[in-house]
Amino acid sequence: MADRSAPGCHLRLEWVYGYRGHQCRNNLYYTAAKEIVYFVAGVGVVYSPREHRQKFYLGHQDDIISLALHPERVLVATGQVGKEPYICVWDSYTVQTVSVLKDVHTHGIACLAFDLDGQRLVSVGLDSKNTVCVWDWRKGKLLSMAPGHTDRIFDISWDLYQPNKLVSCGVKHIKFWSLCGNSLTPKRGVFGKTGDLQTILCLACARDEVTYSGALNGDIYVWKGINLVRTIQGAHAAGIFSMNACEEGFATGGRDGCVRLWDLNFKPITVIDLRETDQGYKGLSVRSVCWRGDHILVGTQDSEIFEIVVHERNKPFLIMQGHCEGELWALAVHPTKPLAMTGSDDRSVRIWSLIDHALIARCNMEEPIRCAAVSTDGIHLALGMKDGSFTVLRVRDMTEVVHIKDRKEAIHELKYSPDGNFLAVGSNDSSVDIYGVVQRYKKIGECIGSLSFITHMDWSSDSKYLQTNDGNGKRLFYRMPSGKEITSKEELKGVQWASWTCVSGVEVNGIWPKYSDINDINSVDANFIGQVMVTADDYGIVKLFRYPCLRKGAKFKKYLGHSAHVTNVRWSHDHQWVVSIGGADHSVFQWKFVPDRKLKDSLHIAPQESLVDSNSDESDSDQSDVPELDSEIEQETQITYRRQVYKEDLPQLKEQCKEKRKSAASKRRERAPGNSIRLHFVHGYRGYDCRSNLFYTQTGEIVYHVAAVGVVYNRQQNTQRFYLGHDDDILCLAIHPLKDYVATGQVGRDSSIHIWDTETIKPLSVLKGYHQYGVCAVDFSADGKRLASVGIDDNHTIVLWDWKKGEKLSAVRGSKDKIFVVKINPYMPEKLITVGIKHLKFWRRAGGGLIGRKGCIGAMGRTDTMMCAVYGWTEEMVFSGTSTGDVCIWRDVFLIKTVKAHDGPVFSMHALEKGFVTGGKDGVVALWDDTFERCLKTYAIKRAALAPGSKGLLLEDNPSIRAISLGHGHILVGTKNGEILEVDKSGPITLLVQGHMEGEVWGLATHPHLPICATVSDDKTLRIWDLSPSHCMLAVRKLKKGGRCCCFSPDGKALAVGLNDGSFLIVNADTLEDLVSFQHRKDVISEIRFSPGAGKYLAVASCDNFVDIYNVMSSKRVGICKGASSYITHMDWDIRGKLLQVNTGAKEQLFFEAPRGKKQTIPTLEVEKIGWASWTSVLGSCCEGIWPIIGEVTDVTASCLTSDSKVLATGDDFGFVKLFRYPAKGKFGKFKRYVAHSTHVTNVRWTYDDSLLVTVGGADTSLMLWTYEMEGHRDTRQCDSEESDLDSEEDGGYDSDVTRENEINYTIKALSTNIRPMFGIKPHLQQKEPTLDERPPVSRALPQPEKLQTNNVGKKKRPIEDLILELVFGYRGKDCRNNVHYLNDGADVIYHTASIGILYNVATGSQSFYQEHNDDILCLTVNQHPKFTNIVATGQETQQICQLQLLLFMCGMQ
């Protein structure tokens, strides 16, 4: 079978030719180590001119377009383009990421700048508002953001002499910003008459509020404050792109190719015209300058970097060159020398030395170049042009040999034959022309089999055959030199190809992803000797595959760096290097090939870290050569936690039902019942899809979760306390290192994590806003200050929190596949690991991001699926449990060995002070020494080992273990079957908690005169539970099928159970042994009921719309109830045992006579008079009120009436248990509501004496007991009841003023039409004021003011003077409160009205004003702390309606 694994060798980036000069500026600097930092494509480059060596930063995944250098000149910030662009701050020595800033900008990051002390970073986005953001970059925290400008911003800078001031400039504007608190406020620069309003391209700040800026016309504008005070005209002949401030003064560079140096007062020192120097040329344009001491760096539009020494300014040294704008497609390598030739749309052909890393020759052509080839003797270089011609040059001196134009469309590929006699030229005209080299390139053949443009060609080793690929993905063969097409496969057998650069063919099938466009791989080149090949594609990725690569979706190693499409890739003649070229990034990358054998020597070199798994990542293709997943894990990965409707959606849904609410509010409705219920005990533990979710607390209690409840269980007293803050399934739990706090994460649209105290059961912090759909793993750091969490969104986002502050510190996309566990390094809280499906990753915090590295497996094999992990005795030791039963031991990121620990997956692992304990699917708990060399002891979980004090029965031996924890001399074990066991070190096992296994629980019945209930579930078990204080499972029986219903006989001796295959059993209620069984139906039995009294009849309802009635004594079917149009959902007998009430899925309420089953029609009033033996129906006038307003979205699944017929309990699809008064007549009755179940509550039943309500949750597998509390009984504990949703609306209780204030709508000025009624015509539409002569003699108009000037244009206008606010009458009392305060020991009074804060001096009667608000102030408070005297906060209405703008101001100070 063909090997689909990735090759063992790899590539290492050695050199990048090029520099990004186009569309960028100010992106070239000297670092503290006198190295030069710049970027090209998606790579940050640090170049050492002394050693002629490059280092690369590979943390970006798209084009870098902005760069800033930290004031200490070691750290660099770079910003990229992309849908979700981010900023990386990285170290120029180590080229490792220090911080990642993300989640704010879109489209790209146009400019960056550090402040004077380097603590803050400002960034400008490419979004429509050109958003300006200020970051505390070390923490990755956004401090402030504001819309920048409606047009592009080109440069931004901190004022280095005034703290908290910034300046930005761009298209026709300059803005001066001040940062106050978290608010950025701009003031536009006033151009006045000093200079024209025009685009400002760059700027630099100087002392005394002076700012210098470079304009598009070549002038320098000098600003003082926000006013333009002078211009330096003609500083450059064209736009000034770059301005750099240093200790000596300023350097500017412009489109005119000049660099000018200025002193600190902007007096000219010297000018360097690069166009006039040896290396200069017409059209040279400067994009970036950097002046340090006597050296100046200059970056040009055409991708060159010059270094100028000031005293030899006429001899600039060219240190980097690259292709200019236009696409780069042509690449060829010399057949015998380490040379690469490239040609581009910039019309230049260049020859690069791969040893010296330098450009050694360049020649400009007449046309854009699209392909290149070197003859086999290395003498000729052929170039294919975009206009359909091709040119042949002598490599030695770049002189022309021949220029031929036989085609009209671009030449996309050409190749010399191995014997050197022929040149094949493929064009976009769909044909290949063959030329004779010796005959001075005379055309001697033509291949015309293709129907599309020619993309790739290869010659056979004997030069007799040519294979081609075209745009349709067709592979064709021709006989050479005639060009005759070959169709016989026989003739091609045994043909050896001299090269392989084709993308179609059996040999390269594996390079194609399973679903891909035929044209997205642009280039291939095979290395026959090393049996590897390299490919280049449209996604900027260079990949390494094995060769030949026969099966689709083969594995590969991938390398990022190019930002856009990689157009061509070739091996050097001796296979030492790979050369790749980027289309739009114009760059040439040279990669060193590291074969297998050298890899082993270089293992100690850590792989390049990256944000995206960049430098050498395994294939992300389908890993079908990986062993099958264990069935249990497979099953777990298939579980979906998505809900059609989440509890968060309820308010919106209710809002949509507004009309219904109004009509409901207008009707008099029954009050909610006075009695209430309180959660008392929960049977169940969530083990089937969770792990490591079971711990001892400080006090020796046990904390775990089931459904939406966090449970603290006291094993001595057999009591439970509950955390009921969640409203949907809890999926994970972690305990604080001090064992007193717990973190739990739940399912939800915007899912939350709650941190709560196990002693007080009170929440300490709730974290929301970053995880979608649910949280599947959480972990505390060793100091307890941080929390890591993983979401179940498609990217399994990982978030690191400061949980006390509720602040997100960092986030990153974790993996496409499921992540099971996250663990924070106990020694270094900045580091963490995640494990999951074929995934183990080591993360390191970097500001707002996390940098991930995959575990290095080396020669040990491939990444297995990891189920659990813990840190060991040092910061670099990690132990992970795999799905195959091994424990992997890692040092740093390297796998050092594996140990076989269990048969089947290792689901749980716990680190002890000296050693480890593991648990697996094999049901064995193993204790290990601290190196995992010796297994010290094993405990098998078996029924035989159960101690007498157990609270239930083990369902099977060796259940799959999902959680392990140690403490108090015991091992605590949680199983997949929902059991919690305590293992004594000496061997005996005590079962503490038990619930149903995976599958839905629907069947529930309470005993007619004992505190006992029975449940039956899809897990194929029937269970009997003791409801008295011993709270244990009394009996269990396995069934052949799952069941959906059960019922005790009236004497409690028999128990009927309905199964999912249409059969039902009657068993002895004590022993659970069969008494009788029947099967008349094929569909699920949905409800089963004994008739009251002697229990003579048994009614059996099924999902195929029938109810069968059986005579229990004779064991015969005696009647069939027909006429239901849908499946049967509920059934009740009347007291006499003669009438059946039936509810169906179509919401029908039907009545049948027993035992024959004849359908009866009974009027509503009569129904109410009938005495019913039980009431579990959900339809009918007596329970109309139990259906919620959003009844279309959710179903009421179950109900049960107390024996005194006063209170009806219901369960619904939202997981709510509700209590209503009975009868619940009229729509939308009031209720008390309780949350503990997560999804639908499938059944509810009162016990025989109404002391307990028993409920079961479908998918949450739990059985919950609620104590029934009479009115007046109020417990001091946290109340888990919630009153009806409609209460507040109709109870009145509002004073008229309060009602009015409640209804005030604060319209925002900017968003609303004018509130005041307006009459008349707007001023600019009014006709001209009539003069005195034109006015009618009698006028009701006001008399004209004496000094009014009427359109006397000739008179000089007086300058408008400023208005100063002197006095304000009024105080805002109509809808505000607590907004008047004394200050300064009663000397002053502070209050507000309109948008003004007013300080009134009692003695003088004078007012002073705070006028920074721009809309009504609605609230005011004074800081009472002695440290902050006279500090006031006021909040206003604002355009961002939901965000109050708080302005703090010092009273008495303007």
Side-chain angles (χ1 to χ4, degrees):
M1 184 185 120
D3 188 350
R4 290 180 59 209
S5 61
C9 46
H10 81 118
L11 302 177
R12 192 177 66 239
L13 189 56
E14 185 175 283
W15 202 264
V16 177
Y17 303 89
Y19 151 72
R20 171 86 187 234
H22 63 285
Q23 299 160 350
C24 291
R25 53 186 68 72
N26 303 332
N27 59 351
L28 183 62
Y29 296 99
Y30 282 111
T31 67
K34 299 205 170 107
E35 294 178 316
I36 296 167
V37 62
Y38 60 96
F39 58 81
V40 59
V43 181
V45 182
V46 182
Y47 170 65
S48 163
R50 277 186 310 224
E51 299 170 17
H52 190 55
R53 189 171 61 85
Q54 287 181 344
K55 292 182 289 193
F56 307 104
Y57 176 70
L58 295 164
H60 287 281
Q61 61 203 38
D62 210 329
D63 269 322
I64 302 175
I65 56 164
S66 53
L67 182 146
L69 190 67
H70 190 274
E72 290 165 8
R73 302 192 2 238
V74 174
L75 298 177
V76 179
T78 43
Q80 67 164 59
V81 295
K83 189 175 164 192
E84 294 174 355
Y86 51 84
I87 300 161
C88 294
V89 180
W90 47 280
D91 186 313
S92 62
Y93 285 138
T94 62
V95 289
Q96 297 293 4
T97 311
V98 179
S99 183
V100 180
L101 314 176
K102 50 186 224 172
D103 297 335
V104 177
H105 289 297
T106 58
H107 299 81
I109 287 125
C111 340
L112 293 166
F114 283 100
D115 69 352
L116 180 62
D117 59 2
Q119 297 297 318
R120 293 175 299 182
L121 178 74
V122 64
S123 61
V124 178
L126 280 178
D127 54 289
S128 56
K129 293 180 178 171
N130 298 287
T131 307
V132 176
C133 295
V134 178
W135 305 82
D136 177 336
W137 61 266
R138 276 195 192 279
K139 292 182 179 165
K141 191 173 163 189
L142 182 67
L143 299 175
S144 177
M145 70 186 280
H149 192 66
T150 48
D151 238 319
R152 268 294 297 275
I153 294 177
F154 291 129
D155 199 3
I156 192 160
S157 170
W158 290 85
D159 188 327
L160 303 180
Y161 303 96
Q162 295 184 83
N164 299 328
K165 297 274 194 249
L166 300 109
V167 190
S168 68
C169 65
V171 176
K172 299 205 168 167
H173 79 279
I174 182 165
K175 280 188 180 175
F176 298 85
W177 300 80
S178 50
L179 177 62
C180 182
N182 67 354
S183 163
L184 262 177
T185 16
K187 290 188 176 168
R188 283 190 81 147
V190 180
F191 285 82
K193 294 185 175 170
T194 318
D196 298 332
L197 168 65
Q198 62 167 314
T199 295
I200 307 288
L201 296 170
C202 57
L203 51 83
C205 296
R207 293 181 187 282
D208 307 325
E209 291 190 56
V210 172
T211 306
Y212 299 105
S213 63
L216 189 61
N217 65 356
D219 293 352
I220 283 170
Y221 282 18
V222 186
W223 306 80
K224 174 89 175 175
I226 64 167
N227 295 304
L228 178 58
V229 288
R230 67 187 175 101
T231 63
I232 301 169
Q233 293 189 339
H236 285 264
I240 303 171
F241 282 125
S242 181
M243 187 179 287
N244 180 245
C246 65
E247 289 148 20
E248 290 83 7
F250 299 89
T252 57
R255 182 179 273 166
D256 57 0
C258 293
V259 173
R260 280 179 178 259
L261 305 186
W262 312 79
D263 68 9
L264 290 165
N265 297 317
F266 239 93
K267 300 272 187 318
I269 301 174
T270 184
V271 60
I272 302 158
D273 188 345
L274 285 169
R275 294 180 181 185
E276 301 302 316
T277 59
D278 305 345
Q279 306 274 7
Y281 53 89
K282 189 180 171 202
L284 186 148
S285 169
V286 175
R287 300 294 295 204
S288 194
V289 283
C290 175
W291 180 13
R292 279 282 166 271
D294 57 348
H295 284 73
I296 301 166
L297 276 180
V298 181
T300 74
Q301 167 90 15
D302 289 350
S303 307
E304 296 135 335
I305 300 175
F306 291 95
E307 188 170 42
I308 303 168
V309 180
V310 176
H311 54 267
E312 290 181 358
R313 66 192 73 143
N314 296 330
K315 294 181 183 166
F317 180 59
L318 192 53
I319 55 176
M320 177 50 67
Q321 295 176 71
H323 283 279
C324 333
E325 281 207 69
E327 297 226 336
L328 173 59
W329 279 86
L331 169 66
V333 289
H334 195 283
T336 56
K337 295 179 184 165
L339 301 176
M341 289 74 167
T342 57
S344 147
D345 286 355
D346 68 3
R347 297 186 159 101
S348 70
V349 56
R350 302 175 189 232
I351 302 181
W352 312 89
S353 163
L354 302 181
I355 287 181
D356 299 334
H357 301 138
L359 179 69
I360 54 172
R362 169 182 175 165
C363 175
N364 286 345
M365 311 302 290
E366 298 292 316
E367 289 295 329
I369 303 161
R370 275 294 156 113
C371 56
V374 185
S375 59
T376 32
D377 53 12
I379 293 172
H380 285 180
L381 169 63
L383 304 170
M385 307 297 186
K386 206 171 173 180
D387 69 343
S389 64
F390 72 94
T391 302
V392 180
L393 305 177
R394 283 184 191 84
V395 173
R396 187 178 67 240
D397 54 7
M398 302 292 260
T399 53
E400 188 176 296
V401 177
V402 66
H403 176 82
I404 295 169
K405 184 169 192 292
D406 284 338
R407 294 287 167 193
K408 290 188 177 147
E409 288 194 41
I411 306 295
H412 197 83
E413 177 74 311
L414 34 73
K415 274 222 171 65
Y416 281 97
S417 61
D419 61 9
N421 291 332
F422 308 112
L423 174 66
V425 179
S427 82
N428 283 3
D429 292 357
S430 316
S431 56
V432 180
D433 298 322
I434 312 299
Y435 297 88
V437 175
V438 191
Q439 298 98 309
R440 271 192 68 75
Y441 292 92
K442 181 184 169 196
K443 183 169 170 181
I444 54 173
E446 190 175 341
C447 314
I448 49 172
S450 280
L451 299 173
S452 180
F453 53 92
I454 307 298
T455 57
H456 305 85
M457 296 189 299
D458 286 300
W459 286 86
S460 63
S461 304
D462 57 8
S463 304
K464 289 183 178 169
Y465 300 100
L466 184 76
Q467 68 165 325
T468 66
N469 288 174
D470 63 24
N472 289 338
K474 287 270 188 301
R475 180 188 182 196
L476 299 172
F477 302 92
Y478 301 95
R479 208 171 286 119
M480 288 293 117
S482 65
K484 189 167 187 301
E485 190 178 342
I486 302 167
T487 48
S488 130
K489 288 186 179 172
E490 288 301 311
E491 188 175 341
L492 294 165
K493 271 192 180 161
V495 171
Q496 298 270 313
W497 298 102
S499 62
W500 190 289
T501 60
C502 284
V503 296
S504 308
V506 184
E507 291 85 338
V508 292
N509 268 347
I511 67 174
W512 293 96
K514 292 198 167 160
Y515 314 98
S516 86
D517 175 8
I518 202 72
N519 294 324
D520 58 13
I521 296 178
N522 296 314
S523 179
V524 171
D525 196 17
N527 168 352
F528 296 142
I529 298 162
Q531 293 193 320
V532 283
M533 70 175 152
V534 63
T535 70
D537 65 30
D538 277 350
Y539 308 109
I541 299 172
V542 173
K543 294 179 182 171
L544 205 55
F545 289 89
R546 293 184 184 274
Y547 178 86
C549 187
L550 307 175
R551 288 181 53 207
K552 267 210 164 192
K555 307 297 259 319
F556 50 80
K557 292 195 170 159
K558 70 175 181 186
Y559 304 90
L560 300 184
H562 287 289
S563 53
H565 45 295
V566 188
T567 50
N568 216 326
V569 61
R570 287 289 179 267
W571 289 93
S572 62
H573 75 103
D574 53 1
H575 301 115
Q576 269 199 62
W577 294 285
V578 167
V579 180
S580 61
I581 57 174
D585 60 35
H586 333 312
S587 55
V588 181
F589 282 39
Q590 180 179 334
W591 309 83
K592 181 78 179 162
F593 177 55
V594 184
D596 281 9
R597 59 182 181 282
K598 289 198 179 157
L599 258 178
K600 294 184 178 69
D601 314 336
S602 64
L603 245 182
H604 60 278
I605 304 165
Q608 167 75 36
E609 291 189 357
S610 68
L611 247 183
V612 291
D613 303 320
S614 146
N615 199 23
S616 157
D617 195 2
E618 294 302 319
S619 148
D620 42 16
S621 58
D622 185 358
Q623 307 203 348
S624 38
D625 49 343
V626 169
E628 286 294 303
L629 268 184
D630 175 85
S631 59
E632 200 169 301
I633 303 169
E634 184 69 52
Q635 205 176 335
E636 190 177 329
T637 55
Q638 300 306 317
I639 296 175
T640 173
Y641 299 98
R642 308 274 166 100
R643 311 257 189 264
Q644 284 179 321
V645 183
Y646 290 87
K647 290 203 175 77
E648 291 117 298
D649 305 334
L650 280 175
Q652 280 172 301
L653 291 168
K654 284 183 189 147
E655 200 52 41
Q656 289 162 15
C657 304
K658 236 176 180 169
E659 292 311 309
K660 285 193 195 173
R661 295 179 66 165
K662 280 186 183 159
S663 67
S666 62
K667 288 178 190 148
R668 181 83 193 104
R669 294 176 328 168
E670 192 63 62
R671 290 179 297 125
N675 303 352
S676 58
I677 55 174
R678 196 187 70 240
L679 191 57
H680 174 60
F681 203 87
V682 179
H683 290 284
Y685 153 71
R686 178 109 181 201
Y688 67 88
D689 62 343
C690 299
R691 58 196 53 72
S692 306
N693 55 350
L694 178 62
F695 299 97
Y696 283 109
T697 67
Q698 234 175 26
T699 54
E701 294 180 304
I702 292 165
V703 63
Y704 60 96
H705 64 86
V706 64
V709 185
V711 183
V712 180
Y713 173 69
N714 183 315
R715 61 196 204 286
Q716 281 82 23
Q717 297 167 4
N718 195 29
T719 55
Q720 295 176 339
R721 292 177 299 131
F722 309 104
Y723 177 72
L724 295 165
H726 288 282
D727 61 8
D728 208 329
D729 273 324
I730 299 176
L731 294 182
C732 55
L733 182 148
I735 196 157
H736 189 278
L738 297 177
K739 309 258 186 267
D740 52 354
Y741 300 161
V742 161
T744 42
Q746 71 162 62
V747 169
R749 192 180 295 287
D750 172 11
S751 36
S752 56
I753 300 161
H754 292 230
I755 294 93
W756 46 280
D757 186 320
T758 57
E759 209 37 60
T760 63
I761 316 287
K762 293 249 166 36
L764 306 164
S765 179
V766 177
L767 311 175
K768 291 185 81 155
Y770 289 96
H771 289 302
Q772 277 184 310
Y773 307 125
V775 181
C776 61
V778 282
D779 188 46
F780 280 101
S781 60
D783 60 6
K785 290 180 181 168
R786 293 187 177 177
L787 183 80
S789 60
V790 179
I792 52 175
D793 54 287
D794 294 339
N795 296 308
H796 295 92
T797 307
I798 302 165
V799 179
L800 191 61
W801 306 85
D802 178 330
W803 65 265
K804 282 190 179 158
K805 292 183 185 165
E807 186 183 323
K808 179 200 78 161
L809 300 174
S810 305
V812 73
R813 293 173 172 184
S815 164
K816 285 282 178 218
D817 287 312
K818 185 154 182 164
I819 292 179
F820 294 125
V821 174
V822 61
K823 279 274 181 263
I824 301 181
N825 189 319
Y827 310 96
M828 300 174 74
E830 299 284 299
K831 292 189 170 181
L832 43 108
I833 50 170
T834 54
V835 301
I837 301 282
K838 303 183 193 107
H839 164 100
L840 181 136
K841 239 179 189 180
F842 296 82
W843 302 91
R844 170 175 71 78
R845 185 181 171 214
L850 289 155
I851 307 296
R853 285 159 67 173
K854 285 196 168 178
C856 282
I857 290 166
M860 298 240 186
R862 55 173 70 87
T863 309
D864 204 343
T865 289
M866 304 282 174
M867 302 308 299
C868 57
V870 291
Y871 278 93
W873 57 90
T874 64
E875 63 189 51
E876 62 250 4
M877 295 305 289
V878 169
F879 301 84
S880 66
T882 73
S883 60
T884 52
D886 294 336
V887 169
C888 296
I889 302 172
W890 306 80
R891 181 179 285 117
D892 197 18
V893 297
F894 300 104
L895 178 64
I896 41 183
K897 72 169 186 177
T898 60
V899 176
K900 186 71 180 164
H902 290 272
D903 293 332
V906 184
F907 280 125
S908 189
M909 189 184 290
H910 190 80
L912 312 173
E913 279 172 26
K914 290 191 177 136
F916 299 91
V917 56
T918 60
K921 187 180 177 181
D922 55 6
V924 173
V925 177
L927 287 170
W928 302 82
D929 65 2
D930 56 1
T931 56
F932 259 104
E933 306 224 318
R934 220 153 47 86
C935 180
L936 307 175
K937 190 162 187 187
T938 61
Y939 302 92
I941 307 293
K942 289 202 158 43
R943 281 179 270 202
L946 268 197
S950 288
K951 299 287 176 207
L953 309 159
L954 256 187
L955 215 65
E956 55 188 26
D957 281 344
N958 302 329
S960 178
I961 294 173
R962 303 300 293 239
I964 288 193
S965 178
L966 271 82
H968 304 274
H970 294 92
I971 304 170
L972 204 53
V973 175
T975 75
K976 179 178 191 261
N977 295 351
E979 297 135 347
I980 297 179
L981 308 148
E982 196 170 50
V983 181
D984 193 275
K985 298 268 174 81
S986 60
I989 297 171
T990 313
L991 197 150
L992 302 175
V993 174
Q994 187 163 29
H996 275 282
M997 302 183 285
E998 191 177 1
E1000 299 210 348
V1001 187
W1002 282 77
L1004 170 67
T1006 48
H1007 195 281
H1009 42 256
L1010 290 174
I1012 286 175
C1013 76
T1015 55
V1016 60
S1017 150
D1018 289 350
D1019 69 4
K1020 301 183 188 170
T1021 62
L1022 167 66
R1023 302 176 187 229
I1024 307 287
W1025 307 87
D1026 186 346
L1027 306 181
S1028 68
S1030 69
H1031 295 309
C1032 63
M1033 187 173 84
L1034 296 171
V1036 60
R1037 171 180 163 178
K1038 288 195 175 173
L1039 304 167
K1040 64 179 194 300
K1041 288 278 179 218
R1044 282 282 163 119
C1045 55
C1046 58
C1047 179
F1048 281 99
S1049 61
D1051 59 4
K1053 290 180 180 170
L1055 178 61
V1057 184
L1059 303 183
N1060 293 349
D1061 63 353
S1063 65
F1064 69 92
L1065 320 167
I1066 301 176
V1067 299
N1068 180 315
D1070 297 328
T1071 63
L1072 299 190
E1073 288 167 357
D1074 273 11
L1075 299 173
V1076 63
S1077 73
F1078 287 95
Q1079 178 152 12
H1080 282 118
R1081 299 286 167 207
K1082 294 199 169 73
D1083 216 333
V1084 176
I1085 302 296
S1086 55
E1087 182 64 296
I1088 195 162
R1089 276 306 173 84
F1090 281 99
S1091 63
K1096 182 179 178 187
Y1097 296 113
L1098 180 66
V1100 181
S1102 74
C1103 284
D1104 41 17
N1105 310 1
F1106 296 108
V1107 179
D1108 297 320
I1109 300 177
Y1110 293 83
N1111 183 318
V1112 178
M1113 298 305 157
S1114 65
S1115 305
K1116 285 196 175 126
R1117 180 163 65 169
V1118 290
I1120 301 176
C1121 308
K1122 301 174 182 173
S1125 63
S1126 179
Y1127 55 93
I1128 313 296
T1129 56
H1130 305 82
M1131 239 178 0
D1132 290 298
W1133 288 91
D1134 75 334
I1135 293 174
R1136 300 168 307 133
K1138 296 281 168 95
L1139 190 65
L1140 259 183
Q1141 171 182 204
V1142 171
N1143 291 181
T1144 75
K1147 303 221 166 105
E1148 303 161 300
Q1149 183 185 22
L1150 306 172
F1151 301 95
F1152 297 97
E1153 207 171 41
R1156 295 280 164 261
K1158 191 175 175 207
K1159 192 171 173 187
Q1160 302 291 327
T1161 308
I1162 303 176
T1164 308
L1165 289 172
E1166 294 301 314
V1167 175
E1168 291 172 22
K1169 292 178 189 167
I1170 297 170
W1172 295 98
S1174 63
W1175 185 283
T1176 60
S1177 289
V1178 295
L1179 301 171
S1181 61
C1182 300
C1183 50
E1184 185 185 9
I1186 69 175
W1187 287 86
I1189 282 183
I1190 49 170
E1192 290 83 53
V1193 184
T1194 177
D1195 254 342
V1196 179
T1197 46
S1199 79
C1200 188
L1201 186 60
T1202 52
S1203 47
D1204 63 4
S1205 299
K1206 286 190 176 164
V1207 176
L1208 186 68
T1210 68
D1212 65 29
D1213 277 350
F1214 265 120
F1216 295 137
V1217 175
K1218 294 178 183 174
L1219 298 186
F1220 292 86
R1221 276 184 194 269
Y1222 184 84
K1225 290 188 174 180
K1227 286 190 170 177
F1228 318 128
K1230 292 190 189 171
F1231 52 81
K1232 289 187 173 171
R1233 178 172 85 176
Y1234 305 85
V1235 181
H1237 287 291
S1238 52
T1239 50
H1240 43 296
V1241 180
T1242 49
N1243 221 326
V1244 297
R1245 289 289 181 269
W1246 293 100
T1247 52
Y1248 71 100
D1249 58 356
D1250 290 346
S1251 61
L1252 290 171
L1253 176 69
V1254 188
T1255 61
V1256 288
D1260 67 26
T1261 70
S1262 61
L1263 171 71
M1264 298 196 184
L1265 314 185
W1266 309 76
T1267 44
Y1268 185 41
E1269 295 176 344
M1270 294 303 161
E1271 197 163 356
H1273 180 285
R1274 270 282 174 262
D1275 203 324
T1276 51
R1277 347 172 129 206
Q1278 165 192 356
C1279 182
D1280 45 350
S1281 144
E1282 205 179 309
E1283 300 302 323
S1284 156
D1285 335 304
L1286 289 165
D1287 278 0
S1288 61
E1289 293 173 20
E1290 66 227 43
D1291 289 357
Y1294 274 164
D1295 166 280
S1296 60
D1297 274 4
V1298 184
T1299 308
R1300 190 170 55 82
E1301 188 178 331
N1302 193 31
E1303 287 166 358
I1304 288 181
N1305 180 12
Y1306 296 101
T1307 359
I1308 281 63
K1309 288 178 186 169
L1311 304 182
S1312 71
T1313 52
N1314 205 315
I1315 299 166
R1316 296 186 191 85
M1318 287 295 220
F1319 301 99
I1321 306 167
K1322 292 183 178 174
H1324 64 283
L1325 299 175
Q1326 286 174 5
Q1327 292 177 352
K1328 195 177 67 134
E1329 178 87 8
T1331 61
L1332 276 171
D1333 310 338
E1334 294 168 4
R1335 281 204 177 159
V1338 179
S1339 165
R1340 288 209 174 90
L1342 289 170
Q1344 200 177 10
E1346 291 167 23
K1347 294 192 177 159
L1348 184 70
Q1349 296 180 354
T1350 52
N1351 297 355
N1352 292 338
V1353 184
K1355 293 197 180 176
K1356 252 192 168 177
K1357 288 184 184 170
R1358 285 176 59 190
I1360 297 170
E1361 306 214 340
D1362 222 354
L1363 295 177
I1364 293 164
L1365 188 62
E1366 195 172 88
L1367 193 63
V1368 174
F1369 294 99
Y1371 151 72
R1372 178 109 179 197
K1374 63 175 181 182
D1375 58 350
C1376 301
R1377 57 191 62 69
N1378 303 338
N1379 58 346
V1380 180
H1381 296 270
Y1382 276 118
L1383 286 177
N1384 305 324
D1385 298 327
D1388 297 312
V1389 175
I1390 179 109
Y1391 61 98
H1392 65 82
T1393 186
S1395 64
I1396 294 172
I1398 301 170
L1399 187 72
Y1400 174 76
N1401 186 292
V1402 179
T1404 63
S1406 62
Q1407 294 178 338
S1408 34
F1409 309 105
Y1410 180 76
Q1411 296 174 259
E1412 292 294 316
H1413 284 284
N1414 55 14
D1415 208 331
D1416 277 336
I1417 299 176
L1418 296 182
C1419 52
L1420 175 150
T1421 185
V1422 174
N1423 195 323
Q1424 307 292 348
H1425 196 285
K1427 188 175 161 191
F1428 301 106
T1429 51
N1430 294 353
I1431 294 274
V1432 175
T1434 45
Q1436 69 165 57
E1437 294 181 53
T1438 181
Q1439 288 184 26
Q1440 288 156 310
I1441 300 168
C1442 53
Q1443 178 189 337
L1444 271 183
Q1445 179 181 336
L1446 286 177
L1447 289 163
L1448 291 159
F1449 61 87
M1450 287 288 249
C1451 291
M1453 293 173 66
Q1454 237 40 57

